[in-house]
Amino acid sequence: AIAAAPPKYCSVLISPKTSIGSLPDLPSAYKKHTDQRLFLNNQNFQFSLKGYENAQLAKYEKGDFYDWHKDIKGDNSGSERKLSATLQLSKPDDYKGCELQLFNGAKELEELPVKNQGSIIVFRSDEWHRVTPITEGVRYSLVFWASGDKLK
């Protein structure tokens, strides 16, 4: 039997003092991202959204990954995550690997168009997704969630 290594997840950087070098201006990136989330929700999902959780700044270094999971999370108010979104902060040449993948039921996973710095993907929080291991460099991303009443 082969023993599996314990998972090594990305670092979650929550300190406002964290130095992130040449990343884009985060307040303007957050505003742009919020506007695009609202547009994409209205165009594609039409969820009744009630609020947003604080963004999570993630840093992936060699060997880091995030295995298959869903972002569904509820609270006592009857609200749950409806939409998940990732804003790519790194340039594609800054790292190798670290691919965001959504499970669509197919044997072959599709490559998602979120490699360019500033690109955004919005998807349902109940979709299975992962980030593959990073093999070189460092990748930064901002992750957001929008919440609303639980689906009935």
Side-chain angles (χ1 to χ4, degrees), residues 35-114:
D35 292 346
Q36 289 184 333
R37 270 186 303 180
L38 291 172
F39 173 78
L40 290 170
N41 177 57
N42 291 337
Q43 290 290 79
N44 298 297
F45 304 105
Q46 299 177 354
F47 285 136
S48 174
L49 301 177
K50 298 211 175 198
Y52 299 96
E53 295 180 34
N54 290 333
Q56 173 182 294
L57 175 61
K59 177 183 180 183
Y60 292 85
E61 297 177 294
K62 188 172 181 177
D64 290 351
F65 67 94
Y66 214 102
D67 210 350
W68 289 110
H69 66 284
K70 295 180 181 184
D71 289 340
I72 289 291
K73 175 183 166 188
D75 62 25
N76 293 336
S77 71
S79 183
E80 71 180 4
R81 288 179 178 167
K82 298 283 187 80
L83 293 176
S84 299
T86 299
L87 172 62
Q88 174 68 357
L89 298 176
S90 298
K91 295 177 184 172
D93 296 339
D94 290 347
Y95 66 94
K96 290 188 180 171
C98 211
E99 304 288 334
L100 174 64
Q101 297 177 330
L102 299 177
F103 179 71
N104 61 8
K107 289 184 180 178
E108 297 294 323
L109 295 170
E110 60 187 294
E111 187 165 326
L112 301 173
V114 290

Side-chain angles (χ1 to χ4, degrees), residues 120-136:
I120 296 169
I121 185 167
V122 177
F123 54 94
R124 292 174 57 117
S125 295
D126 61 356
E127 287 192 54
W128 286 98
H129 58 285
R130 72 177 176 183
V131 178
T132 62
I134 188 168
T135 58
E136 287 183 26

